[in-house]
Amino acid sequence: MKYKIISIADSEKFIKESKPMILDCRDMKDYRAGHLADALHVHEGLKDSLVKRGDKQRSLLIYCYYGHASEHLAEFFGDFGFKDVYSLEGGYSSWKEKHQAA
């Protein structure tokens, strides 16, 4: 597998320590309604730009609604040579649930 699945708890530490590029692959409406701090909305232009000119050594943290689509995108970036790619387990819904309970 060319990517790793990361839990919500581990991702919080990972974000603080590693400063990954965070990619939100949900639709624009949901991205605008709320997203992780510093997350970029993934669209075809951004995907193409990252594949062609992105820093393949920089860590990527990718999430979607529930953690399934982000796995496909994480595999996509892994196939293009990105070395440190993570898919957020449970996606944004799990992230939001944990942070609303806190």
Side-chain angles (χ1 to χ4, degrees):
M1 194 154 61
K2 296 179 181 176
Y3 67 93
K4 299 167 209 79
I5 295 175
I6 190 168
S7 70
I8 301 294
D10 289 343
S11 70
E12 292 168 337
K13 181 179 177 187
F14 175 65
I15 289 168
K16 285 179 188 163
E17 293 177 359
S18 299
K19 307 279 191 252
M21 179 179 292
I22 303 171
L23 303 175
D24 183 325
C25 62
R26 299 174 304 148
D27 64 38
M28 182 56 86
K29 177 178 80 69
D30 289 313
Y31 173 80
R32 285 186 178 138
H35 54 270
L36 274 65
D38 300 321
L40 300 173
H41 182 256
V42 176
H43 51 80
E44 287 304 313
L46 177 61
K47 274 176 52 177
D48 291 346
S49 176
L50 288 173
V51 165
K52 292 176 184 168
R53 295 180 289 285
D55 178 359
K56 292 185 168 68
Q57 301 306 313
R58 184 172 181 191
S59 299
L60 297 178
L61 174 62
I62 305 169
Y63 68 93
C64 58
Y65 296 98
Y66 302 107
H68 304 296
S70 59
E71 289 184 22
H72 296 292
L73 191 57
E75 186 171 19
F76 170 85
F77 282 112
D79 286 345
F80 276 99
F82 286 80
K83 305 289 184 222
D84 199 31
V85 184
Y86 295 84
S87 174
L88 185 63
E89 184 177 40
Y92 186 73
S93 63
S94 292
W95 177 276
K96 189 174 177 183
E97 184 178 303
K98 180 182 187 286
H99 288 86
Q100 286 179 336

